[in-house]
């Protein structure tokens, strides 16, 4: 009993650094903001009433919800069949498809947004081509409207939706479909009666996740949407940077937060009631990301391992042959989706080699002048260098404290663990602008606005969540008896961790560090609020460029940012494959 | 480590382990002698794994004390104890080769590289795995993994060896082979060994003594033969092998023994004889009880044939060794069962 209690105390102790950072940078200011919005110490809801009495505010709130609903629905409608087809594909093809969806997921959102500006703009790809072929005489208005906004939002969110759904669908035992078929169910009936119901919980959490992230969209509405397509984030950001009306910022943030929380809990609860899983679902919806990221590790492991017994049952009774029409239709759909996801980046990469003094497609000549311009301009490469440094610092900080927390949490009681998990994951489950606003005030309390330390702390808030999620997922698959075995051989707690636990969860830690770096390297919203114009990261520099003058150098930067995650991905696969083949390569002849 | 004796005595003094309000182990007292092979047998949930965890030091007792060679170890964490454990499904480190796995306990005890290598070489040879030192555990078959696990538990020469369902993951043929291996290793190394299992056959073949556990308490402790032949309770009788409980029947069970220990008469299926109703009674007929019945079912199991016979309101199981010239009965046949009255046992309910 003593040892157990001691263990639990150590567990909480290990999670302490994370909790302190979270509370100081994010928790306390969030409470302060809430109190401000309630006019503390008088406590009244007058601010909320005033906020909601202004028709302009109400319009922004409703519009935010409406845009998010439509974008989420579009993601779901396109994403579900795509995910289904990816899962149904033969293994090698499936891995290729998953990687192709993962590349845009890991590519800088700014680079992708920029790509759409290049495609839809007045002198963009589509208008240029149409003009060239004489189909139109003056440019069409393709950008700065609601349609462009949806195209951009769905483009950003679709990979997350598809990957989440693939993760869920891979967990569904395919032999169940075969069983249904053996009992006389035609393929479509088998799908409706067996596969679809089993996928519902995953669909719900993926949808909620996408919806809540959509609520916090800031860059796309500001760069692709029209003047009227303002979302709450834009409204709040402009309040922070221009008028700085504290009360109205606080009130607006909590209206947005309230929408997110209401949707997360009520929708989750309501649907769960019909399934009799009432107690678990709100938690599960918050843990939608674990499934996504945990899956990331899993699929990479699967990628590198030739044969896995646990997948065997799922494949043994795989039904085949669904008819030629669905098959061709499916191929066309997947092709279209992949084109939609990948073509913009390809366009940007091609354009970045343009030799003209402005960006055009197809480029009239090839040159490296924009890359030269990038590496020759201190403002650009300085920003890139700053981002790199900040990214590494964020990755280091969040990997260390996040791994400690995940390890500590894994030894506390399940109930405490899930509560603390919800707390730690808050920064990535609520709209990012709210996190940004809270961090702004948190760092202001500490006098760190406009400092690198401040930016690093603010970005670590989200990065820590990713590390905790992915390391926890790895620890969940880790066999505790290996630690007991080490201890039975006289390895003390530290030796056990260093010699057994750490080497075995290393892939998860590397993955977490990688995601933390990417998170930092692509962060705009929080950084723009806390940087105070004195710290210029690459995303901030890009964002400034997108908004003001479009410098063709941006094309070179965007291409570099597109190629970077591909290199990362390849590098990680190589590392994983090497460690896997060393430890897990099965030799059939040994099974005598 | 050189000072440590080759084996140790283990003593449980009224040990209780509570999880919340539930006692996984209650007031358990037990002594394991030096060099003894003791098996803790019980169904799942009987607390046998908790006993092992207590012994290993992964959980501390809520009440009572555990002594190893006379010294209390209740407060000593697992990594300060001197013991070897073979875990269920082995817990071999997947990221280390067989050799590195085997070196681990030696390294933790601060042994020099040269001596480690020598010991690893010796033990690999002893478990016939000298060519497999550089493989990873996943590249070994189940039986080879089992041998590595045994070698790893024994290599540092600990006075105590703990086995947690050691053969659970193996198929039947391999299990028999490994039983032989464990037995010969026990004989050779002379370690005090505590094995936890739910497999009665494993318990009967390996152990010097068996502890049968039920709901956190010891039901009976005895040698395998006594335990099987003279079970104290109906639970032990049923858990260890098959038992015919002769209770609530239409006929009177005749008894020889003057002072039966329990109240419920029980007889093992292999002690029953089955014959055609017309067969004359045997010479020792006056020491036997005869009852008539009807065959309900016949199950052929290789060397054995099992009959389910309806007798006076109940069903008795008869186990007969297959032999030539035997009459084979079919369901519906009228038969006569008989047994020696001295083969009856009386157990407590």
């Amino acid at each position: 009993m003593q040892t157990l209690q001691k263990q639990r105390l150590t567990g909480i102790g290990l999670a302490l650094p994370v909790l302190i950072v979270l509370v100081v940078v994010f928790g306390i200011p969030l409470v302060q903001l809430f109190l401000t919005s309630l006019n503390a110490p008088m406590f009244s809801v007058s601010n909320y009433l005033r906020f909601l009495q202004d028709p302009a505010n109400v319009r922004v709130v409703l519009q935010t919800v409406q845009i998010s609903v439509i974008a989420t629905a579009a993601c779901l409608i396109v994403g579900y069949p795509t995910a289904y087809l990816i899962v149904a594909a033969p293994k090698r093809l499936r891995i290729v498809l998953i990687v192709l969806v993962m590349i845009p997921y890991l590519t800088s959102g700014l680079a992708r947004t920029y790509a759409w500006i290049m495609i839809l703009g007045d002198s963009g790809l589509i208008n240029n081509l149409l003009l060239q072929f004489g189909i139109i005489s003056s440019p069409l208005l393709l950008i700065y409207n609601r349609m462009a906004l949806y195209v951009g939002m769905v483009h950003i969110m679709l990979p997350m939706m598809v990957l989440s759904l693939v993760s869920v669908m891979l967990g569904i035992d395919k032999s169940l479909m075969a069983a249904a078929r053996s009992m006389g169910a035609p393929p479509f009936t088998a799908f409706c009666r067996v596969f679809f119901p089993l996928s519902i919980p995953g669909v719900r959490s993926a949808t909620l996740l996408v919806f809540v992230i959509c609520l916090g969209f800031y860059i796309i509405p500001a760069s692709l949407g029209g003047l009227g397509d303002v979302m709450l984030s834009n409204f709040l950001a402009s309040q922070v940077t221009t008028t700085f009306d504290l009360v109205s910022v606080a009130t607006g943030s909590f209206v947005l937060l309230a929408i997110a929380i209401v949707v997360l809990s009520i929708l989750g609860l309501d649907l769960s009631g019909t399934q009799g899983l009432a107690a678990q679902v709100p938690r599960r919806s918050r843990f939608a990301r674990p499934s996504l990221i945990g899956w990331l590790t899993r699929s990479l492991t699967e990628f590198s391992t030739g044969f896995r017994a646990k997948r065997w049952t799922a494949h043994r009774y795989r039904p085949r042959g669904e008819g030629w029409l669905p098959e061709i239709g499916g191929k066309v759909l997947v092709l279209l989706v992949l084109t939609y996801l990948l073509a913009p980046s390809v366009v940007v990469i091609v354009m970045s080699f343009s030799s003209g003094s402005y960006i055009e497609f197809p480029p009239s000549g090839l040159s490296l002048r924009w890359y030269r311009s990038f590496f020759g301009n201190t403002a650009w490469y300085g920003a890139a260098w700053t981002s790199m440094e900040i990214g590494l610092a964020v990755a280091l900080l969040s990997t260390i404290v996040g791994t400690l927390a995940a390890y500590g949490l894994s030894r506390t009681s399940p109930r405490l663990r899930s509560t603390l998990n919800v707390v730690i994951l808050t920064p990535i489950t609520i709209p990012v602008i709210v996190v940004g606003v809270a961090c702004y005030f948190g760092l202001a309390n500490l006098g760190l606005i406009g400092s690198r330390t401040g930016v690093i702390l603010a970005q670590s808030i989200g990065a820590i969540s990713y590390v905790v999620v992915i390391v926890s997922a790895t620890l969940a698959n880790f066999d505790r008896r290996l630690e007991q075995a080490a201890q039975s051989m006289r390895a003390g707690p530290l030796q056990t961790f260093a010699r057994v636990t750490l080497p075995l969860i290393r892939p998860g830690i590397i993955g977490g560090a990688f995601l933390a770096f990417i998170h930092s390297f692509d962060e705009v919203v929080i950084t723009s609020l806390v940087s105070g114009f004195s710290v210029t990261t690459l995303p901030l520099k890009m964002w400034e460029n997108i908004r003001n003058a479009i410098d063709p150098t941006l094309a070179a930067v965007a291409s570099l940012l597109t190629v970077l995650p591909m290199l990362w991905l390849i590098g990680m696969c190589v590392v994983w494959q090497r460690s896997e083949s060393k430890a897990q390569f099965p030799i059939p002849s040994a099974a005598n | 480590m050189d000072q440590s004796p080759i084996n140790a005595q283990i003593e449980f003094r009224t040990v209780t382990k509570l999880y919340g309000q539930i006692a996984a182990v209650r007031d358990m007292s037990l002594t394991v002698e030096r060099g003894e092979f003791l098996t803790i047998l019980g169904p799942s949930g009987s607390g046998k794994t908790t006993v092992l965890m207590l012994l290993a030091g992964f959980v501390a007792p809520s009440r009572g004390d555990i002594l190893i060679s006379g010294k209390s170890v209740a407060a000593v964490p697992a990594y300060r104890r001197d013991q070897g454990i073979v875990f269920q499904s082995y817990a071999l480190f997947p990221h280390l080769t067989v050799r590195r796995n085997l070196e681990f306990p030696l390294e933790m005890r601060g042994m020099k590289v040269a001596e480690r290598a020598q010991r690893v070489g010796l033990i690999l040879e002893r478990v016939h795995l000298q060519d497999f030192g550089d493989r990873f555990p996943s590249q070994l078959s189940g039986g080879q993994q089992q041998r590595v696990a045994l070698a790893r538990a024994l290599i540092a020469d600990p006075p105590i060896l703990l086995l947690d369902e050691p053969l659970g993951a193996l198929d039947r043929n391999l299990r028999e082979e490994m039983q032989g291996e464990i037995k010969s290793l026990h004989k050779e190394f002379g370690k005090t060994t505590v094995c936890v299992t739910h497999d009665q056959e494993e318990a009967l073949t390996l152990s010097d003594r068996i502890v049968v556990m039920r709901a956190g308490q010891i039901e009976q402790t005895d040698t395998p033969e006594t335990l099987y032949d003279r079970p104290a309770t109906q639970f032990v009788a049923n858990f260890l092998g098959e038992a015919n409980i002769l209770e609530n029947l239409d006929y009177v069970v005749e008894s020889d023994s003057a002072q039966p220990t329990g109240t419920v008469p029980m007889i093992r299926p292999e002690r029953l004889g089955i014959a055609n109703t017309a067969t004359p009674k045997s010479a020792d007929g006056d020491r036997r009880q005869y009852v008539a019945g009807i065959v309900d079912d016949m199950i052929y199991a290789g060397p054995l044939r099992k009959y389910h016979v309806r007798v006076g309101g109940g069903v008795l199981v008869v186990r007969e060794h297959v032999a030539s010239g035997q009459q084979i009965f079919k369901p519906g046949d009228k038969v006569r069962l008989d047994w020696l009255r001295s083969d009856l046992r009386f157990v407590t309910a």
Side-chain angles (χ1 to χ4, degrees):
Chain A
M1 220 56 193
Q2 291 166 331
T3 46
L4 203 68
Q5 253 164 17
K6 218 169 95 187
Q7 222 180 36
R8 291 196 170 160
L9 277 180
T10 339
I12 299 170
L14 290 174
L16 220 52
V18 163
L19 294 175
I20 290 172
V21 172
L22 267 181
V23 166
V24 170
V25 180
F26 174 69
I28 292 174
L30 202 63
V31 173
Q32 284 176 332
L33 278 176
F34 191 53
L35 293 177
T36 310
S37 78
L38 286 175
N39 270 337
M42 268 106 78
F43 291 108
S44 75
V45 289
S46 63
N47 288 327
Y48 289 94
L49 290 178
R50 194 141 33 87
F51 183 88
L52 294 174
Q53 270 158 8
D54 185 341
N57 290 344
V58 174
R59 198 178 70 88
V60 171
V61 170
L62 291 180
Q63 189 161 289
T64 303
V65 174
Q66 183 202 7
I67 291 174
S68 304
V69 166
I70 293 177
T72 308
C75 282
L76 184 61
I77 292 167
V78 179
Y80 192 93
T82 309
Y84 181 78
L85 291 163
I86 289 177
V87 172
K91 190 177 160 189
R92 286 193 177 276
L93 179 61
R94 181 169 76 225
I95 289 161
V96 171
L97 291 175
I98 287 173
V99 169
L100 288 179
V101 178
M102 217 183 312
I103 288 171
Y105 176 68
L106 296 176
T107 302
S108 152
L110 277 175
R112 291 158 72 192
T113 308
Y114 171 72
W116 283 110
I117 296 175
M118 290 297 94
I119 290 171
L120 299 173
D122 287 350
S123 54
L125 168 68
I126 295 178
N127 273 323
N128 260 359
L129 286 181
L130 292 178
L131 283 171
Q132 231 166 13
F133 291 115
I135 298 168
I136 52 169
S137 51
S138 62
L140 295 172
L141 279 178
L142 296 172
I143 198 171
Y144 308 130
N145 58 36
R146 192 60 76 83
M147 198 56 214
L149 173 62
Y150 286 137
V151 166
M153 278 178 82
V154 173
H155 179 78
I156 298 284
M157 295 314 297
L158 191 57
M160 179 179 284
M161 178 69 97
V162 171
L163 291 176
S164 301
L165 292 177
V166 164
S167 151
V168 171
M169 290 177 183
L170 277 177
I172 297 175
D173 186 350
K174 297 295 173 304
S175 61
L176 296 177
M177 289 283 274
R181 299 271 291 269
S182 77
M183 291 175 246
F188 187 67
T189 315
F191 170 80
C192 292
R193 296 287 301 277
V194 179
F195 193 88
F196 185 69
L198 286 172
S199 68
I200 287 289
V203 168
R204 180 177 51 229
S205 46
T207 309
L208 283 175
L209 177 73
V210 168
F211 177 76
V212 170
I213 293 177
C214 280
L215 282 180
F217 258 71
Y218 168 71
I219 290 167
I220 299 271
S223 52
L224 294 178
L227 281 177
D229 300 324
V230 179
M231 291 177 76
L232 255 174
S233 293
N234 309 85
F235 173 82
L236 288 172
S238 71
Q239 298 263 323
V240 173
T241 46
T242 56
T243 62
F244 209 89
D245 176 356
L246 184 58
V247 173
S248 125
V249 169
T251 313
S253 297
F254 278 93
V255 168
L256 185 57
L257 193 56
I259 297 172
I261 290 173
V262 164
V263 169
L264 273 180
S265 52
I266 299 293
L267 200 64
L269 276 174
D270 241 348
L271 282 172
S272 72
T274 56
Q275 295 200 345
L277 295 165
Q280 290 161 3
V281 168
R283 212 191 307 154
R284 198 190 292 172
S285 64
R286 290 188 167 242
F287 281 95
R289 237 168 240 255
S291 73
L292 168 64
I293 292 163
W295 160 85
L296 217 139
T297 347
R298 255 186 291 137
S299 70
L300 282 167
T301 317
E302 185 189 352
F303 183 34
S304 50
T305 317
F307 175 87
R308 279 262 147 145
K310 63 172 180 184
R311 284 257 174 271
W312 176 242
T313 45
H315 284 266
R316 190 172 193 166
Y317 304 107
R318 217 189 160 97
R320 281 258 153 253
E322 313 242 345
W324 62 272
L325 189 65
E327 227 159 77
I328 290 186
K331 277 180 187 152
V332 170
L333 176 70
V334 172
L335 217 61
L336 283 176
V337 168
L338 286 179
T339 311
Y340 169 59
L341 287 180
L342 296 171
S345 298
V346 174
V347 168
V348 170
I349 292 175
V350 172
M351 288 197 298
S352 69
F353 292 103
S354 159
S355 59
S357 56
Y358 60 93
I359 287 297
E360 54 186 353
F361 192 94
S364 45
L366 294 178
S367 85
L368 289 175
R369 67 182 281 190
W370 301 119
Y371 288 90
R372 250 180 262 126
S373 144
F374 170 74
F375 288 107
N377 184 336
T378 335
W380 273 113
Y381 77 70
W385 191 241
T386 307
S387 266
M388 197 70 87
E389 284 176 346
I390 290 179
L392 287 175
V394 168
L396 194 69
L397 173 69
S398 51
T399 304
I400 292 172
V401 297
T403 302
L404 284 180
Y407 185 71
L409 287 181
S410 75
R411 16 203 66 208
T412 57
S413 66
R415 194 192 273 169
L416 181 65
R417 176 162 63 232
S418 60
T419 313
L420 287 180
N421 252 327
V422 169
V423 171
I424 292 175
L425 297 196
T426 308
I428 53 174
T429 34
I430 65 174
V432 63
I433 187 79
V434 179
V435 182
V437 169
C439 285
Y440 178 83
F441 290 106
L443 295 175
N445 287 343
L446 300 171
L448 287 173
I449 293 289
S451 71
R452 277 197 182 199
T453 318
V455 172
I456 291 168
L457 279 176
Q459 291 186 348
S460 296
I461 294 292
I464 286 171
S465 308
Y466 286 107
V467 174
V468 170
V469 165
I470 192 163
V471 175
S472 294
T474 317
L475 277 168
N477 291 328
F478 172 74
D479 186 356
R480 258 294 148 67
R481 264 175 315 194
L482 294 173
E483 286 183 343
Q484 293 188 337
Q487 295 192 348
S488 78
M489 291 177 256
R490 302 190 70 118
L494 272 179
Q495 273 171 314
T496 303
F497 183 77
R499 295 288 305 274
V500 176
T501 317
L502 192 61
L504 287 169
I505 62 170
R506 195 179 290 141
I509 296 176
I510 294 174
F514 167 66
L515 278 178
F517 181 83
I518 291 230
H519 170 81
S520 154
F521 206 70
D522 193 30
E523 220 305 309
V524 180
V525 180
I526 301 174
T527 319
S528 69
L529 290 176
V530 302
S531 68
F533 303 108
S534 54
V535 181
T536 310
T537 62
L538 188 59
L540 285 189
K541 172 87 180 150
M542 288 170 76
W543 180 226
E544 179 200 314
N545 249 276
I546 288 178
R547 289 220 283 193
N548 304 325
I550 294 212
D551 173 357
T553 312
L554 202 50
V557 180
S559 332
L560 288 175
L561 288 183
T562 310
V563 176
L564 198 68
M566 293 192 215
L567 295 179
W568 271 108
L569 217 53
I570 293 168
M572 297 248 289
C573 284
V574 169
V575 169
W576 248 309
Q577 191 145 28
R578 198 172 292 164
S579 69
E580 280 286 324
S581 67
K582 198 173 73 176
Q584 310 242 325
F585 186 68
I587 294 181
S589 66
N592 46 25
Chain B
M1 174 187 14
D2 294 319
Q3 308 96 306
S4 70
I6 66 155
N7 51 34
Q9 186 205 47
I10 302 166
E11 195 183 344
F12 273 60
R13 281 192 190 156
T14 57
V15 171
T16 297
K17 173 66 197 171
L18 298 166
Y19 287 108
Q21 293 298 308
I22 300 150
V25 171
R26 191 182 305 137
D27 287 330
M28 182 166 172
S29 292
L30 174 74
T31 305
V32 190
E33 296 304 336
R34 288 176 187 277
E36 188 179 20
F37 195 119
L38 182 113
T39 297
I40 297 171
L41 183 66
S44 49
S46 60
K48 56 184 194 305
T49 303
T50 309
V51 172
L52 194 86
M53 294 289 114
L54 284 163
L55 198 44
F58 294 127
V59 297
S62 312
R63 284 197 296 273
D65 204 357
I66 300 168
L67 296 95
I68 291 176
S69 295
K71 272 192 282 184
S72 169
V73 292
V76 180
Y79 58 89
R80 300 238 172 78
R81 298 192 185 186
D82 201 6
Q83 61 202 357
I85 306 184
V86 175
F87 287 82
Q88 192 175 8
S89 64
Y90 320 133
L92 299 176
F93 300 131
H95 59 303
L96 303 179
T97 59
V98 168
R99 198 178 298 282
R100 304 277 291 146
N101 261 286
L102 294 176
E103 272 185 26
F104 195 91
L106 304 178
E107 209 181 321
M108 292 301 137
R109 285 163 169 85
M111 195 182 276
K112 297 255 176 354
V113 177
E115 200 185 344
R116 287 198 307 229
Q118 191 207 349
R119 280 231 198 177
V120 169
L122 281 175
I123 199 114
L124 275 176
E125 214 163 299
R126 172 59 189 84
V127 296
H128 319 295
L129 287 174
Q130 49 274 48
D131 300 332
F132 294 86
D134 296 318
R135 294 234 187 147
F136 284 93
S138 57
Q139 299 167 322
L140 301 178
S141 70
Q144 290 165 338
Q145 290 182 12
Q146 163 76 60
R147 287 207 287 265
V148 175
L150 274 167
R152 192 178 66 171
L154 286 168
I155 193 167
D157 212 18
I160 294 173
L161 180 64
L162 306 178
L163 311 171
D164 186 7
E165 304 273 358
L167 305 174
L170 301 178
D171 58 50
R172 198 182 165 82
N173 288 337
L174 210 50
R175 207 179 301 177
E176 244 160 65
E177 187 189 322
M178 286 313 301
Q179 274 174 10
E181 183 84 349
I182 290 176
K183 231 177 160 159
S184 86
L185 283 170
H186 179 246
K187 212 166 164 185
E188 188 177 329
F189 287 81
K191 304 295 170 199
T192 308
T193 306
V194 177
C195 173
V196 159
T197 185
H198 66 264
D199 182 343
Q200 38 155 317
E201 191 196 316
E202 200 171 303
L204 289 173
T205 21
L206 291 174
S207 332
D208 296 323
R209 270 196 309 157
I210 298 175
V211 174
V212 179
M213 285 196 68
R214 178 194 189 184
Q217 285 177 307
I218 295 180
E219 187 89 354
Q220 188 178 359
T221 308
D222 256 311
T223 62
E225 201 157 343
T226 316
L227 210 57
Y228 184 79
D229 193 41
R230 302 206 165 267
T233 66
Q234 199 172 328
F235 175 81
V236 175
N238 276 317
F239 191 70
L240 224 67
E242 262 181 301
N244 290 306
I245 303 296
L246 305 175
E247 221 183 7
N248 303 326
L249 300 174
D250 298 349
Y251 54 92
V252 179
V253 176
E254 303 154 9
S255 160
D256 268 356
S257 55
Q259 292 165 308
T261 44
T263 53
V264 183
M266 181 282 289
I267 191 157
R268 296 285 185 195
E270 64 272 18
R271 304 282 185 174
L272 294 177
I274 185 167
N276 199 313
T277 39
T279 317
K281 295 184 179 179
S282 59
D284 59 353
D286 54 332
R287 292 196 285 129
R288 289 180 177 269
Q289 177 168 7
Y290 292 87
V291 289
I294 295 168
V295 174
D296 220 20
D297 200 6
M298 190 276 279
I299 300 149
Y300 174 73
L304 300 169
R305 217 185 294 280
K306 251 165 66 172
Y307 292 102
H308 290 188
V309 181
R310 257 185 293 137
V311 181
V315 174
L316 295 185
V317 181
V318 181
R319 199 182 294 158
E320 189 182 50
H321 277 273
V322 173
S324 47
Q326 243 171 6
Q327 186 177 357
I328 299 165
F329 300 100
K330 300 184 299 298
D333 285 354
K334 287 195 170 138
V335 292
R336 191 188 66 203
L337 302 183
D338 67 283
W339 59 83
L340 277 168
R341 281 195 286 270
S342 58
D343 283 343
L344 276 181
R345 300 289 178 260
F346 291 85
V347 295
T348 48

